[in-house]
């Protein structure tokens, strides 16, 4: 399995689901960034703890609990927020017609004949496994001419050998 194929397979998911990805990422980024900056709450709690200790209302702890776990959690939320931001950018570019992953799949993909039924494409790989995958209206899996009208239900599909879920419909040729 080619590592570059795996990278493009992972990038292809937000590109193939651009409309949904824009809404999911758009609504989740703000919350993820807010969770990643929750350090202010910990600092306020630490100052409240010091006031209580000074007034004799609380027992002084040797080490404040939760600081390490809180830092790790904030780092995790920051990483997730930046991943969702990247998915948002990929989704927007895909909706505007930029072929982020389509050109690579087209150049390195294995051609086969498939059928198109509405928004669904069915094809069989060289290993004999049949796949039925969505190619929706907003981010169609068609390359090089994204706006090509595909008449009939027979199409030529190019897929990555190690990751058949990453595919494009070849708009330059008809079925073989």
């Amino acid at each position: 399995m080619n590592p570059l194929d795996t990278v493009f397979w992972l990038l292809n998911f937000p590109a193939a689901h651009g409309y949904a990805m824009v809404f999911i990422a758009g609504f989740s980024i703000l919350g993820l960034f807010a969770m990643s900056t929750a350090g202010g709450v910990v600092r306020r709690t630490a100052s409240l703890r010091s006031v209580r200790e000074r007034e004799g209302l609380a027992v002084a702890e040797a080490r404040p609990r939760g600081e390490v776990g809180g830092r790790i959690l904030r780092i995790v939320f920051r990483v997730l927020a930046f991943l969702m931001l990247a998915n948002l950018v990929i989704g927007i570019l895909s909706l505007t017609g930029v072929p982020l992953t389509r050109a690579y799949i087209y150049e390195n993909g294995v051609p086969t004949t498939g059928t198109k039924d509405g928004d669904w494409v069915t094809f069989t790989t060289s290993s004999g496994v049949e796949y039925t995958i969505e190619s929706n209206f907003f981010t169609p899996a068609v390359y090089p001419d994204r706006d090509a009208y595909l008449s009939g239900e027979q199409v030529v599909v190019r897929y990555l050998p190690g990751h058949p879920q990453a595919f494009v419909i070849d708009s330059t040729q008809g079925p073989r």
Side-chain angles (χ1 to χ4, degrees):
M1 198 174 330
N2 185 354
L4 199 54
D5 284 358
T6 304
V7 169
F8 276 92
W9 170 64
L10 290 171
L11 290 175
N12 191 54
F13 184 80
H17 301 89
Y19 193 70
M21 196 54 58
V22 166
F23 283 100
I24 292 169
F27 287 113
S28 66
I29 285 175
L30 186 61
L32 288 170
F33 275 123
M35 291 297 291
S36 73
T37 61
V41 175
V42 173
R43 283 188 211 106
R44 279 187 239 124
T45 306
S47 355
L48 181 60
R49 185 181 311 116
S50 67
V51 169
R52 285 181 178 162
E53 289 170 0
R54 192 174 50 229
E55 297 295 325
L57 299 173
V59 179
E61 296 178 18
R63 191 185 99 209
R65 292 179 286 150
E67 277 189 34
V68 174
R71 285 182 183 172
I72 292 172
L73 195 60
R74 285 191 301 275
I75 290 170
V76 168
F77 279 120
R78 283 182 190 137
V79 168
L80 287 175
F82 283 112
L83 285 174
M84 289 308 282
L85 182 63
N87 287 336
L88 176 70
V89 170
I90 291 170
I92 289 172
L93 290 174
S94 180
L95 283 173
T96 58
V98 177
L100 292 172
T101 59
R102 307 279 190 235
Y104 179 83
I105 296 170
Y106 179 81
E107 291 296 322
N108 299 301
V110 176
T112 187
T113 303
T115 57
K116 185 169 175 12
D117 182 23
D119 284 347
W120 297 92
V121 177
T122 303
F123 61 93
T124 304
T125 62
S126 58
S127 62
V129 180
E130 182 177 272
Y131 288 89
T132 301
I133 304 174
E134 184 181 20
S135 173
N136 65 31
F137 175 77
F138 296 106
T139 52
V142 179
Y143 188 82
D145 184 11
R146 177 187 170 173
D147 298 325
Y149 177 73
L150 303 171
S151 61
E153 58 180 45
Q154 291 289 320
V155 292
V156 173
V157 176
R158 292 179 179 265
Y159 65 92
L160 293 178
H163 304 286
Q165 302 86 355
F167 75 98
V168 293
I169 299 170
D170 189 350
S171 64
T172 61
Q173 50 180 314
R176 295 178 185 183

